[in-house]
Amino acid sequence: MITVNRALLGHRVLTGISRRHLAELIAELASPWQAEVEGRRHVARGGVRRRAVGAGARHRLVFVDRVTATLIHLRHDLPHSVLALLFGVDRSTISRAVGEVRGLLATRGFAVPDRPGIRLRTLADVFAYAQAEGVVLRLDATEVQVRRPTPHRGGRRAYVSGKKKQNTMKATVVADAKGRTLWAGNLRPGRIHDTTAIRGEGIDDLFRQFPRVQVLLDDGYLGLRRDHPGKAVTPPKKPNKIAAPEVHEAREQARHEHSFQRIPVEHALADHKRWKGLARWTHRRDTLPATYLAVAGLVSDRTAAV
């Protein structure tokens, strides 16, 4: 049997976060996890507990190790069987622990820069924050390659991305001028267009409710610029071929300036993809949304303090 120092397993090289961040995360998630466990037990026994709190069998994998194992899995995409060997438990125990903690991480929301204790959970929260603080938002979508759906099943073509020519799922991310993740979500099959997807999140209504918010976008969101001029900002259109050379030069300069202002959201996407599982997703597609939200929330914790 392999014996591994548990303190070593909590190192940031393995978990992707500092020990201080890990300790804060454990303190934050302990109560929700315990409530979730007690809720399942209440349903299983069909009523209130009859023994005192703490009585009965002990968890072979304590909560601290559950969080650590989940972070290692998210950071390096280690198989559950390998993690089971490191922590000295059965593979099914690791699988259950990862599912529980990943779900808790996915619902935490996103840290607000210079506002400890406040978290953004919806796109409406982000727009309200941006208008109150005068923040110019950067919004973009990213694709994660996923496993090809089983043949001869309905909806198989929905995951084929017209851009990547691969089976993908897309996520939408919002960042500020320093590349700090403010929101991520809107996970959907790769065939759905970026504008169609974000309209489904109610962004048209948000532009009307928060008229002072400005969002920098790329050419994939030209429809939003048409409907919300001055609020949804995309690169300038290409001028006519017969336009004067200085017009073309001015347009290229404007595109360069727009790209320079929008590049922080690309840096935010790169931060997410450094977690190995999001570079290429090889597991069940229905677990990718929770995984992406969990990773994006952890990244936002780190970048919010910068």
Side-chain angles (χ1 to χ4, degrees):
M1 180 177 178
I2 297 178
T3 303
V4 180
N5 187 340
R6 298 299 172 88
L8 179 63
L9 292 176
H11 195 278
R12 70 178 306 158
V13 172
L14 295 175
T15 61
I17 63 176
S18 66
R19 291 188 184 276
R20 179 179 178 180
H21 188 185
L22 176 60
E24 293 172 350
L25 200 63
I26 291 170
E28 178 186 344
L29 299 180
S31 294
W33 176 78
Q34 187 62 41
E36 187 176 289
V37 171
E38 289 300 326
R40 290 200 305 270
R41 290 174 175 173
H42 182 87
V43 172
R45 63 176 169 254
V48 298
R49 63 183 305 143
R50 298 180 180 179
R51 292 190 289 182
V53 177
R58 301 291 191 272
H59 289 287
R60 290 192 60 191
L61 191 67
V62 297
F63 179 67
V64 173
D65 290 340
R66 288 170 183 261
V67 176
T68 303
T70 302
L71 292 175
I72 295 174
H73 174 68
L74 294 176
R75 185 69 179 87
H76 298 283
D77 201 25
L78 283 183
H80 293 179
S81 56
V82 175
L83 290 171
L85 191 63
L86 293 176
F87 285 91
V89 295
D90 188 74
R91 183 199 59 78
S92 62
T93 302
I94 293 292
S95 299
R96 184 164 53 252
V98 169
E100 292 172 354
V101 177
R102 178 175 54 200
L104 294 175
L105 291 173
T107 59
R108 292 175 66 236
F110 305 90
V112 179
D114 304 320
R115 296 289 189 277
I118 300 177
R119 304 192 74 85
L120 306 174
R121 289 181 170 81
T122 66
L123 193 57
D125 293 342
V126 177
F127 270 66
Y129 162 73
Q131 179 157 294
E133 300 291 335
V135 176
V136 177
L137 302 176
R138 281 83 173 158
L139 183 147
D140 200 4
T142 185
E143 297 188 69
V144 179
Q145 186 177 355
V146 297
R147 294 166 62 180
R148 189 178 184 184
T150 305
H152 312 301
R153 303 186 76 175
R156 192 175 187 219
R157 294 181 59 194
Y159 291 91
V160 180
S161 167
K163 179 180 178 181
K164 295 285 188 178
K165 308 303 181 185
Q166 296 173 336
N167 290 273
T168 67
M169 289 187 70
K170 292 182 180 180
T172 303
V173 175
V174 178
D176 63 6
K178 294 186 177 180
R180 298 176 292 199
T181 300
L182 299 178
W183 181 79
N186 196 221
L187 272 291
R188 74 278 186 189
R191 195 176 184 87
I192 300 177
H193 194 275
D194 297 347
T195 303
T196 303
I198 199 61
R199 285 187 191 277
E201 290 288 324
I203 195 170
D204 292 301
D205 291 335
L206 294 177
F207 273 124
R208 288 188 285 268
Q209 294 175 22
F210 303 97
R212 297 197 304 273
V213 174
Q214 189 178 69
V215 184
L216 302 184
L217 306 160
D218 62 15
D219 285 327
Y221 297 91
L222 294 177
L224 289 179
R225 182 182 69 177
R226 179 197 64 217
D227 297 339
H228 308 282
K231 302 175 185 177
V233 182
T234 62
K237 293 182 178 179
K238 188 174 182 179
N240 195 295
K241 292 182 179 180
I242 63 174
E246 55 268 22
V247 175
H248 288 276
E249 183 178 348
R251 182 249 185 182
E252 289 301 318
Q253 181 62 31
R255 288 184 67 88
H256 177 78
E257 180 64 26
H258 180 86
S259 297
F260 179 78
Q261 295 180 10
R262 204 187 62 82
I263 198 65
V265 70
E266 302 288 353
H267 296 162
L269 297 177
D271 275 346
H272 302 166
K273 295 295 183 70
R274 290 191 180 99
W275 292 65
K276 189 177 179 182
L278 299 185
R280 184 176 184 275
W281 189 246
T282 59
H283 310 285
R284 292 173 51 181
R285 294 186 303 279
D286 57 0
T287 60
L288 177 56
T291 301
Y292 201 105
L293 293 178
V295 169
L298 293 170
V299 171
S300 76
D301 292 340
R302 177 179 58 80
T303 57
V306 177

